[in-house]
Amino acid sequence: MPSSLSCAKLSTWIAAAALLQMIGLSLFVLGFFPVKPALSGVSGPDSYRVPKCDSAEDRDEMPMIPPDQLRSSYREMSGISPFYDRLILVVIDGLPAEFVLGKNNEPPTMAMMEAMPYTQALLSNGKATGFHAKAAPPTVTMPRLKAMVSGAIGGFLDVAFNFDTQAFLDDNLLGQFNSIGWKMVMLGDETWIKLFPGLFMRQDGVSSFFVKDTIQVDYNVSRHLEAELQSDDWNVLILHYLGLDHVGHIGGRNSILMLPKLKEMDDVVMRIHQSISSPHDTHHRRTLLVIASDHGMTESGNHGGSSYEETDSLAIFIGLESKLPEYAPATCKTVSQVDLAPTLALLLGVPIPKNNAGILIAEIFDFLSDGELLRALELNSWQLLRLLQAQLPGLLCSNRAYSYLEYERSLRDNACKVSSVEDKFGCLFSKATALHDCWRSHEGRDVRSNRESVEFKETLVAYYDFLTDASEWLSWRATDKPFEFLVPGIIALLVSCCLFLSILFRLCREASLRRKHQHLDSLNPKMELYLDETFVIVFIFILVISMGSSSMVEEEQYIWHFMTSTLYFIFLRKSIQLLLTAEAQKLRNGNKGPWYSKYYQFCSIVVVLVCGRVLRGWHQGGVNWVHLPDISTWLEKVGPHFIQLIKLGSMLFVVSFGIFGHCRSKSKGIFVLLIRGSFFVSGLLLLYLMKYQDHTIASSGPSSTLIAQIVFLILGVTVIVGALKFSWTVPLSNDASSAEPLSMIYCSIHQHICDPFLGLRCSAYSIGWIFMTCWCILQLLLQRPTNAMPISLLLLQILASMLYFSLHGHHREWVEVAALYFLGLAGHFGLGNSNSIATIDVAGAFTGISSHSTFLSGILMFIITYASPLLCLLSMIMYASVKDEGALLSGWDVDLGVLLQSLIAFPCVVPLSLNSVLLTTCTIILLLMRNHLFIWSVFSPKYLYACAATVCVYIGVSVVAATGIYVCSIYFFRRKISSNQYTAAKNPN
């Protein structure tokens, strides 16, 4: 029966739909995640003048005066006495404030306190003031450093830019320090050098991404410490220690290396503090020491999301003029991380950066006089007002004059409850200004005016009302989203989705018509036999609906585990029905063949369900129940030896599959032996590498790196050579004299002894076998040791599904492909992944890499994260070989396009269609939820995962399509040569 949808036409429509999807996705991403707009220029003398109606009017260019004069001018205009001449900023990457300050008004654990005795003594004696500095998501280093030095709320896509840091051109503290002639030294994370090139007098940067290094990365900083503390040629010293963050990535919060690393950091604090407070200091310069962290970490040691553990960063101020014990209770206080920028700017005598959204920390300025404290709040208010005017141009532009008299009778009645945002901020600012003017007038004639006076307290409250509301509004306000990009992007995605679904519908209809034409459709018309198809459609519908709930997005793994197991329970129900039917036939006529076949079907589904249940309990993913016990946590508590034993068993299973999975193939030459030998050697190398690994420590030594690189090379050569060579080595067809099934999976097709396409299917099976084996070996190398068993369980699920589908002719092909696709996504969450950026495994991305490479580590990170979906997509090549579609074709005389379409059409179109539905749904929901409270913490990370999953599907489908085209082309080429040789031998003349 000729097909109305030719292979060329099908390929054209698929390419058009894919291109349209990429265009729509690009437009939407560029529109929804623009680079955050910022005020141009830098703060200068205008910072010390009250803003006008049009803030553009008072934007001065940076004055061209000598740095010393500019520094003096700033301090004179600020009206605040100068405090410090030098700053030492120590950034301990990944240190949760909970480790130092405790949690929920409870002190830290005794082990944590004993690990940092000197720091705890400073806090308890009132010589240091500590804060929980809440970091905004995404909690990765680069945007957090920007927030600390500029006070600006970064764009969400900074999580991507974190791996390719560019120079930071917005107004920031370091630029202000440079403008007043301060000399700066930076030691540690090279992110600082990339953000601020050319600003540092001396620098020694180390890579922040090579997380296997927990020792040398901090030694490179501390080895300069003694010399720098004795030096008098710098004003700002930045020390960024990375070892604690790396310890977390490798072994989590409870790593055996965590307490020694905290002790090492405490020694650094002690050395610095004793140096700056020594009575023998000959420099006589006032130095402020700030200990800060850029973000926290989860229990597993990762970060990037918005959970409390990840956003709980630290800020400790040491060296304040006041040493009163009442500073100790401040350790329970919470501030925002962006509050560091205005606080440090006012303490060190430079203007607050233009794009700052933070508020100065009041406790730090408690030692100021009343007038200086209110002046500091006034300068902070002026800066935030200018930032508000950039987004609310009408602010303070009305002709109405605000005065204190308008508020005198309603100070305690929230008089600024007005309808528009502009009026609200105008009212709050004018109220604070009027109260401040009133306080000044009272101060001039009342010598008893002090911090306890009513006027001072009311002014203080009014300023903080304005500052708090302005900061929250600026932090909450999403960047403008140009609808000229969003609307065309969504339309393109919708059209692309409709195209993919229409292609899939056409393929299903033609497959059904072809089966009926060949009288091969074993599905009877009863409605119950279409239960699997109905369930898949309902499954997709439920998933689409659930994407609108933030809680369901956070706990998406439950949907995939439940729905995938339910689909296989439907398969189990069908296999039981067929098993009972076969049993009845066996009792009637004694025919055992059908009974054994149906028994294999039943057992294969049971294997899939059992493995799925184990995968479901391996990791507690999501957010709400991540603290509950799971198998991986239990294994880590048992000890590394048990984990290594499980990994050894998983490795033996995978390597055995690679060696014996093709043992009954017709290709038994030296080439097949070499392929099996490569699997054996890879297994031995993995066995050797196990001595470098346990559940907390991963070595980055040259020996393990070299062995990992050898494994990469072996697997790469095996895949390339095997894929190219196998199509030339297998026989073109099988006959009765040499018939032998390819493997256990082929037990259902042994009756097709004269199948003319058996050689083609053997080629596809052999290449799929190589792809799956190499991929699993690669994952055993890259994944955490506790994830070795899930990899082998996932492989077992796929093989059992292959066996079931090859023996069973009672399911539509698109349902079977969808089932494999669902297995991949359920396995994705079974490996510990979630919709939070914090679950990305950074440590494994540096396996086999001797030095940091953003490109290579990014590829490995993608491979680790999407191990399960890509494995199931690669298995589509083997799936195409075990499905006996040859009977649907008209023997030898068949067109290449028809054969190619029957081989790979469904394995390519079904994943593309399902992914298109999910991507389009996530896009629409992201737009609808653009003003939702959890837009940046829940929905945006989910959308980034959806985009990455789209890349994963395109990679997998491209491999399947390229392999299918190559195998079919070589098959037809060899068949043509064989036919010519047969003709020449038959007609020698």
Side-chain angles (χ1 to χ4, degrees), residues 649-666:
S650 301
M651 183 184 65
L652 290 176
F653 172 74
V654 172
V655 174
S656 297
F657 166 72
I659 294 175
F660 301 109
H662 201 259
C663 63
R664 305 188 70 182
S665 170
K666 298 304 295 180

Side-chain angles (χ1 to χ4, degrees), residues 170 182 200 211 280 289 383 430-431 595 603 628 837 939:
D170 295 347
W182 276 18
F200 300 111
V211 298
H280 303 290
L289 171 60
Q383 180 269 320
S430 299
K431 176 180 177 179
W595 185 88
C603 292
L628 296 179
I837 301 173
F939 293 104

Side-chain angles (χ1 to χ4, degrees), residues 280-396:
H280 303 290
D281 181 14
T282 58
H283 304 319
H284 302 294
R285 308 179 75 176
R286 293 165 297 178
T287 303
L288 175 65
L289 171 60
V290 178
I291 312 298
S293 61
D294 49 353
H295 51 74
M297 65 174 66
T298 62
E299 288 298 324
S300 61
N302 292 323
H303 54 88
S306 58
S307 68
Y308 173 83
E309 290 75 15
E310 297 164 85
T311 59
D312 183 33
S313 60
L314 178 69
I316 298 179
F317 293 82
I318 304 173
L320 299 174
E321 293 187 4
S322 176
K323 304 287 183 16
L324 299 178
E326 62 256 28
Y327 276 85
T331 58
C332 301
K333 294 185 177 293
T334 299
V335 297
S336 178
Q337 194 176 60
V338 293
D339 295 344
L340 288 174
T343 301
L344 292 177
L346 292 172
L347 285 174
L348 298 167
V350 295
I352 300 174
K354 257 185 196 227
N355 295 287
N356 163 69
I359 306 172
L360 59 86
I361 303 174
E363 290 82 359
I364 301 302
F365 295 89
D366 207 35
F367 58 87
L368 295 180
S369 66
D370 294 359
E372 287 179 332
L373 178 58
L374 292 181
R375 175 59 173 171
L377 291 171
E378 183 180 50
L379 293 176
N380 196 182
S381 299
W382 288 354
Q383 180 269 320
L384 284 182
L385 182 63
R386 288 185 174 88
L387 197 58
L388 288 172
Q389 287 176 330
Q391 302 193 41
L392 302 171
L395 185 59
L396 291 184

Side-chain angles (χ1 to χ4, degrees), residues 885-907:
E885 296 294 330
L888 300 180
L889 305 175
S890 54
W892 285 92
D893 193 16
V894 65
D895 181 70
L896 172 62
V898 175
L899 182 60
L900 187 61
Q901 182 174 330
S902 68
L903 188 70
I904 63 171
F906 280 108

Side-chain angles (χ1 to χ4, degrees), residues 87-120:
L87 168 68
I88 300 178
L89 175 62
V90 180
V91 179
I92 304 177
D93 204 295
L95 175 61
E98 177 184 345
F99 285 7
V100 182
L101 305 179
K103 180 180 180 182
N104 298 328
N105 294 327
E106 295 292 333
T109 63
M110 185 59 64
M112 294 294 178
M113 296 182 70
E114 292 176 351
M116 304 189 75
Y118 193 84
T119 305
Q120 292 296 333

